[in-house]
């Protein structure tokens, strides 16, 4: 069964600190993996996309990694800001984009950044 | 910023009422979706469409219905709302040339009393 598991479920850090969120997946055939940021009461917004051949990608203070062998991805946030408080959702695509019915969502990690 | 809009943002109604959640996008995307999300839980696909006059049910069974008469418009209707329908409903669209990236609306939070 295709699954995406994220850890931790929630995380509280102090402003300015770094943190790393984890995503483990059992999805086949793998097409790509995206990290989304969802602010409270808003829709998710894509942060990064990782394909099979990529192992690191950065978007500002966000750096995503992918290990296709172990089927693990991480999202590292550097020098956290209060505006980073949100849920971060890992989404794995099980095909090559033909059917959106094959998008598998994780439950998300709820990050709270405190002053 | 995504050009996809949902109305209403918040709706509180009584049991048995008919409601329609509106979703419109101006990006010309063929694919549109409705997701349901409860607090702290993952998004569940309830309906999707690959184009005009195409609609399919998603992974999560839902008593709602959808229509796709125009490319830019994908409304969701509940004929008779019940408290179990209380949830956040998120509309999204995608471009066939960007596999996997969904552009989401702000969501419609429905409360049925």
């Amino acid at each position: 069964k295709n699954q995406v598991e994220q850890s931790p479920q929630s995380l509280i850090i102090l402003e300015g600190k770094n943190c790393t969120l984890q995503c483990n997946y059992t999805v086949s055939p793998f097409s790509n993996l995206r990290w989304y940021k969802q602010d409270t009461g808003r829709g998710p917004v894509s942060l990064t996309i990782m394909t099979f051949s990529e192992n690191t990608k950065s978007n500002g203070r966000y750096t995503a990694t992918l290990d296709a062998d172990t089927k693990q991805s991480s999202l590292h946030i550097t020098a956290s800001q209060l505006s980073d408080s949100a849920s971060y959702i890992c989404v794995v695509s099980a095909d090559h984009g033909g059917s959106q019915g094959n998008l598998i969502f994780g439950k998300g990690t709820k990050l709270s950044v405190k002053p | 910023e995504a050009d996809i809009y949902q109305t209403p943002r918040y709706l509180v109604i009584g049991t048995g009422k008919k409601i329609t959640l509106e979703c419109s996008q101006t990006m010309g995307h063929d694919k549109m979706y409705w997701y349901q999300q409860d607090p702290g839980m993952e998004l569940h696909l309830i309906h999707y469409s690959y184009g005009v006059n195409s609609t399919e049910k998603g992974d999560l069974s839902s008593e709602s219905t959808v229509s796709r008469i125009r490319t830019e418009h994908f409304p969701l209707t509940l004929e008779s709302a019940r408290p179990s329908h209380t949830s956040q409903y998120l509309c999204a669209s995608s471009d066939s040339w960007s596999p996997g990236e969904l552009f989401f609306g702000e969501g419609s939070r429905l409360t049925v009393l």
Side-chain angles (χ1 to χ4, degrees):
Chain A
K1 180 183 176 184
N2 289 331
Q3 282 187 314
V4 174
E5 295 185 358
Q6 293 187 242
S7 61
Q9 185 175 355
S10 61
L11 182 62
I12 300 174
I13 62 173
L14 292 176
E15 186 179 12
K17 298 296 185 182
N18 303 336
C19 67
T20 300
L21 314 180
Q22 300 289 346
C23 174
N24 296 339
Y25 62 93
T26 54
V27 176
S28 182
F30 174 85
S31 175
N32 61 69
L33 181 151
R34 283 187 186 270
W35 284 93
Y36 285 82
K37 178 187 179 187
Q38 184 177 23
D39 292 317
T40 301
R42 310 288 290 271
V45 175
S46 178
L47 291 174
T48 67
I49 178 174
M50 306 292 290
T51 58
F52 187 86
S53 59
E54 297 173 309
N55 52 31
T56 302
K57 184 174 285 187
S58 292
N59 177 5
R61 293 179 298 102
Y62 300 105
T63 299
T65 66
L66 175 68
D67 185 333
D69 292 331
T70 61
K71 298 187 177 181
Q72 296 180 325
S73 176
S74 66
L75 181 69
H76 185 75
I77 304 175
T78 304
S80 61
Q81 300 176 357
L82 298 179
S83 59
D84 293 330
S85 294
S87 288
Y88 292 83
I89 303 170
C90 177
V91 183
V92 181
S93 178
D95 63 3
H96 297 284
S99 169
Q100 290 291 358
N102 285 332
L103 284 180
I104 297 92
F105 285 75
K107 292 185 178 182
T109 292
K110 186 176 176 60
L111 174 66
S112 297
V113 181
K114 303 295 186 183
Chain B
E1 192 167 311
D3 294 321
I4 179 164
Y5 308 100
Q6 290 185 240
T7 58
R9 288 291 313 279
Y10 304 94
L11 180 62
V12 181
I13 60 169
T15 296
K17 299 293 185 184
K18 177 180 178 179
I19 64 116
T20 296
L21 304 181
E22 303 286 351
C23 177
S24 295
Q25 51 95 5
T26 59
M27 296 173 281
H29 289 170
D30 287 329
K31 299 178 180 178
M32 296 189 73
Y33 319 84
W34 277 103
Y35 288 88
Q36 186 173 340
Q37 185 182 32
D38 292 319
M41 300 299 290
E42 66 267 48
L43 280 73
H44 289 287
L45 181 67
I46 53 175
H47 297 283
Y48 60 100
S49 167
Y50 286 163
V52 171
N53 294 326
S54 151
T55 61
E56 301 287 345
K57 289 188 179 295
D59 305 322
L60 183 68
S61 174
S62 173
E63 294 166 349
S64 59
T65 59
V66 292
S67 62
R68 189 88 183 276
I69 299 173
R70 303 198 314 266
T71 298
E72 63 271 21
H73 197 212
F74 192 41
L76 180 146
T77 298
L78 274 167
E79 291 293 333
S80 179
R82 294 205 301 270
S84 60
H85 296 139
T86 295
S87 189
Q88 166 98 327
Y89 293 85
L90 288 161
C91 180
S93 70
S94 71
D95 183 337
S96 298
W97 300 108
S98 182
E101 179 168 15
L102 298 172
F103 295 87
F104 285 89
E106 296 289 348
S108 293
R109 178 160 295 283
L110 172 65
T111 301
V112 184
L113 303 175

